[in-house]
Amino acid sequence: MPLSNELRRNNCYEIFSQSTGVEIRPAVRSHEERGVVVERSGRIQLRFFKLTPKANPDDLTQIRFVCEPDEAFELSHKISCVAASATPCKEKLNPHKFSTGEPATETVTTLSVEKWERNGKSGFALTVGRGKDFISVPVPLAKYLFAAEFLRYLSTDQCWVERSDKVSSKKSP
């Protein structure tokens, strides 16, 4: 199959540190009934990743955290509050929980933003954690504030729902 030379534009913001990074972009959640997509809705995805090679095959290289639009707005607000703080502090979104496998194993994913201070140095970070794994991305203030603004923009831009006519007609009188 020939490759297309057509370029596609996507809203996306990436922040890189020395060994980690985070990509913020629009996402879509699909709901299926009997193998047919009957509803899609907007979401915001934060993909945290490591830039270093795996030390062993079981090492985690990335963690995705998918927010609903209001969660992305809340995260934007938390980043702004932490950035304005005169002292080190940390704010977290409510954890995301999901179950997989038989027997069901619950997995908890957390996302936090912080202003840190260690050994006379200070800075900001976005951190995601899942189980015992975590990825922290240190961020300069300007990029931290830009991430907040981008999340705020995406929170309203991704606030939409598409439904099939069948689903819509069932709900209307």
Side-chain angles (χ1 to χ4, degrees):
M1 184 162 97
L3 295 175
S4 170
N5 287 336
E6 191 173 319
L7 299 176
R8 282 187 39 156
R9 180 183 299 189
N10 294 307
N11 287 331
C12 180
Y13 181 54
E14 296 175 327
I15 304 170
F16 297 95
S17 73
Q18 194 169 10
S19 60
T20 58
V22 61
E23 171 192 67
I24 305 168
R25 67 179 323 132
V28 176
R29 179 182 173 265
S30 296
H31 176 72
E32 290 185 14
E33 289 181 7
R34 293 180 222 135
V36 176
V37 175
V38 294
E39 182 177 287
R40 279 193 291 262
S41 53
R43 296 291 187 267
I44 297 86
Q45 174 181 279
L46 291 92
R47 183 179 66 90
F48 290 78
F49 51 90
K50 294 181 181 179
L51 296 169
T52 54
K54 288 183 175 188
N56 63 57
D58 294 333
D59 280 351
L60 192 78
T61 58
Q62 66 179 352
I63 299 174
R64 295 176 194 270
F65 192 95
V66 180
C67 300
E68 293 190 19
D70 62 323
E71 283 182 302
F73 185 83
E74 180 183 359
L75 182 59
S76 169
H77 181 69
K78 287 182 183 301
I79 291 171
S80 297
C81 289
V82 167
S85 175
T87 59
C89 60
K90 187 176 196 172
E91 292 284 339
K92 291 183 179 184
L93 281 182
N94 288 331
H96 284 193
K97 300 177 184 181
F98 62 92
S99 298
T100 56
E102 285 296 324
T105 306
E106 186 174 73
T107 302
V108 178
T109 308
T110 58
L111 179 60
S112 62
V113 294
E114 68 177 309
K115 179 176 185 173
W116 55 268
E117 191 174 300
R118 284 180 219 99
N119 303 326
K121 294 183 180 182
S122 63
F124 303 92
L126 295 126
T127 303
V128 69
R130 180 172 290 153
K132 62 178 177 48
D133 297 307
F134 74 94
I135 299 174
S136 185
V137 183
V139 181
L141 178 59
K143 290 182 183 236
Y144 197 63
L145 292 171
F146 186 84
E149 188 63 28
F150 189 64
L151 284 161
R152 185 171 167 234
Y153 157 74
L154 285 178
S155 71
T156 55
D157 192 57
Q158 287 299 102
C159 196
W160 55 265
V161 176
E162 296 173 340
R163 293 186 176 102
S164 70
D165 288 337
K166 265 186 164 178
V167 173
S168 298
S169 63
K170 287 180 185 176
K171 293 182 179 178
S172 59

